[in-house]
Amino acid sequence: MLTANERERYDRQIMIPEITEAGQEKLKAARVMIAGAGGLGSPIALYLAAAGIGRLRLVDHDQVTLSNLNRQVLHWSDDVGRKKVDSAGEKLRCLNPDIIVESIHATVAESTIDGMLQDIDVLVDAMDNIPSRFVLNKAAIDHRIPFVHGAVAGFEGRAMTVLPGKTACLRCITRGPVQPETYPVIGVAPAMIGVIEATEVIKYLLNLGGLLTNCMLRYDGMTNDFLKLTVKRNPQCEHCAQVYGKE
Amino acid sequence: MSVQLNIHKTHRRYTDGKDIVEVEGKTVGECLSVLIEKYPGMQNVLFNSKGELLNIVEVYVNGESAYPNELARTVRDGDVIYLVFFLAGG
C-alpha cells in the first residue's frame, strides 16, 4: 500500500499505463543489490532509488578518491576519503527517504557473496573487474537470482541480463577471467550503461517489455551506435549447465 | 569469398586505421590468419603465445556469438565478423 506522500512522489510514473499504482507497489516491495558504488553503481542506485525500489543494498569495499569524481556522480569533492557506501547511502537517503538503503562495506568474493545475497530479488553488476563479475554471475545462478550485467571502457559499454536456468549467463559466452586492470573511462559511458541496467531491473520487476536476455547490447558513445549481439547458452558452461532448464 | 572483419577501435592502430578489413577464408580462423598476415600487429592482441584466442576476445559472426569454437566457425561470402572485447571497467 502506498502512502499519500509516495503517490505524489511517484505520480509521473504511476501515470504510465504499464506501471500504475499496482506496479509502484511491486517496486516498493522489491529488494535489489547493487554490487559496486562507483561509476556504474552511481546512476544505477540513483535511478532505482528515485523510482522507489523499496530496499537497495549497496556493496563496495572502496573509499572515495579524487580520481573517482569524473564519473562516480554519487560522490562529491567533500567525500574524498569516505567509504563509498556511506557517501552513496547518504545521498540516496536524501533523494528518497521513503526507501531503505543498506550499506555494506565489504569485498565481493566467493567467500562473502552468499551472505550478501540474502533476501535479494535482483542482483546488479556495477563492478570494475572481470573476476568479480564472474563471482556475481556464479552466485546469481546458484541462488537463482536474476543478474543484470554491465561494463564500460572509454566511451563504450555493454549490458546483458541473465535469468538463471533460462538464458545465457556471462560465463556461457566467455573463455574465462582475465587479470584486473585499470581501465580508462569517461563518466558518460557508465551513466549510459548504468541507466540501461536500472531500466532492466525495473522491467524485470514489473514484467514489462523485452529484456536483454540472450543478447549483449554494445554501446559506442563515439558513434552513437547501439549493437544488439545474440548470445547463446553453452551446454557445458561451468556456471549454469547444472541449473539450465530447471527453473 | 569475401568476409568483412570489423576491427575494434583500440586495434585500428594495427590496421592502418581501418575499421573494416575485407578478407577471404572459409572459417573464422582462416579469416584471422589472413588478417594477421596483412597486419601482424593483430597477432598479440587476439592470441596468446599458444595460439589460443585471448580470454578477453569475443567473436561474433553476423551478430551471433561464435563461442566456444570460434576459430572453426564456418563463414560464407558476405558474412560479417565483429571482433569485440570483454569490457571490464565500471
Side-chain angles (χ1 to χ4, degrees):
Chain A
M1 188 75 175
L2 300 180
T3 64
N5 187 63
E6 286 169 333
R7 282 195 192 91
E8 182 175 350
R9 175 182 287 270
Y10 306 120
D11 176 66
R12 296 303 190 274
Q13 64 195 53
I14 287 173
M15 289 170 67
I16 297 173
E18 291 87 351
I19 297 183
T20 73
E21 195 163 316
Q24 192 61 50
E25 285 175 3
K26 288 181 187 170
L27 298 181
K28 182 178 180 178
R31 302 155 299 183
V32 175
M33 173 172 151
I34 303 169
L40 284 169
S42 291
I44 294 166
L46 273 169
Y47 281 96
L48 292 182
I53 301 297
R55 186 180 293 262
L56 286 180
R57 184 172 297 163
L58 295 181
V59 178
D60 199 299
H61 66 178
D62 268 342
Q63 278 82 29
V64 179
T65 66
L66 192 58
S67 68
N68 294 150
L69 303 187
N70 77 318
R71 64 198 184 283
Q72 303 187 12
V73 295
L74 269 176
H75 312 302
W76 304 341
S77 297
D78 286 348
D79 296 316
V80 170
R82 295 180 73 193
K83 293 174 185 170
K84 286 186 181 177
V85 289
D86 290 344
S87 165
E90 182 182 284
K91 315 296 191 323
L92 296 169
R93 288 180 200 102
C94 284
L95 170 63
N96 192 345
D98 291 334
I99 65 168
I100 295 168
V101 180
E102 301 171 357
S103 297
I104 300 179
H105 181 69
T107 302
V108 168
E110 285 179 12
S111 59
T112 60
I113 187 66
D114 289 340
M116 294 170 177
L117 286 175
Q118 263 196 334
D119 301 323
I120 288 299
D121 298 316
V122 186
L123 172 61
V124 192
D125 171 13
M127 304 305 295
D128 62 359
N129 65 86
I130 294 175
S132 297
R133 288 186 163 94
F134 279 100
V135 170
L136 296 179
N137 184 73
K138 176 75 163 56
I141 287 160
D142 289 346
H143 290 265
R144 313 290 199 272
I145 296 172
F147 173 51
V148 181
H149 159 66
V152 294
F155 278 83
E156 291 179 81
R158 66 186 225 164
M160 169 180 164
T161 295
V162 178
L163 300 181
K166 294 179 181 170
T167 67
C169 79
L170 207 50
R171 188 70 183 82
C172 279
I173 61 168
T174 44
R175 218 163 277 101
V178 299
Q179 291 302 309
E181 289 179 39
T182 299
Y183 291 86
V185 62
I186 186 162
V188 289
M192 181 68 81
I193 297 301
V195 168
I196 289 170
E197 291 186 82
T199 308
E200 288 290 283
V201 172
I202 292 167
K203 288 189 302 179
Y204 170 77
L205 291 170
L206 300 181
N207 194 25
L208 294 178
L211 296 171
L212 292 170
T213 48
N214 295 318
C215 172
M216 181 64 75
L217 178 71
R218 304 263 319 184
Y219 165 70
D220 185 347
M222 283 294 204
T223 57
N224 289 319
D225 284 328
F226 283 92
L227 184 62
K228 273 185 170 178
L229 298 165
T230 301
V231 297
K232 56 196 174 197
R233 60 169 294 267
N234 176 3
Q236 276 80 50
C237 176
E238 65 182 40
H239 284 189
C240 77
Q242 301 298 319
V243 305
Y244 191 81
K246 292 182 180 170
E247 290 304 298
Chain B
M1 295 235 321
S2 181
V3 174
Q4 181 179 303
L5 270 173
N6 283 264
I7 309 297
H8 190 264
K9 68 179 65 166
T10 57
H11 297 152
R12 290 174 199 162
R13 59 187 147 154
Y14 304 114
T15 59
D16 298 334
K18 288 183 180 167
D19 56 349
I20 294 172
V21 177
E22 297 280 345
V23 296
E24 296 197 348
K26 293 177 183 170
T27 64
V28 168
E30 286 182 17
C31 291
L32 295 185
S33 294
V34 173
L35 172 74
I36 288 165
E37 206 171 290
K38 196 168 183 183
Y39 302 108
M42 290 298 294
Q43 172 74 39
N44 291 339
V45 295
L46 295 178
F47 293 97
N48 64 21
S49 57
K50 297 176 188 168
E52 301 161 332
L53 279 171
L54 297 173
N55 280 356
I56 204 165
V57 175
E58 295 176 5
V59 179
Y60 293 85
V61 178
N62 298 332
E64 290 191 11
S65 171
Y67 182 79
N69 300 308
E70 300 98 319
L71 300 181
R73 168 74 155 79
T74 56
V75 289
R76 296 176 182 176
D77 192 24
D79 279 355
V80 178
I81 298 174
Y82 275 90
L83 300 173
V84 301
F85 300 89
F86 192 150
L87 306 179

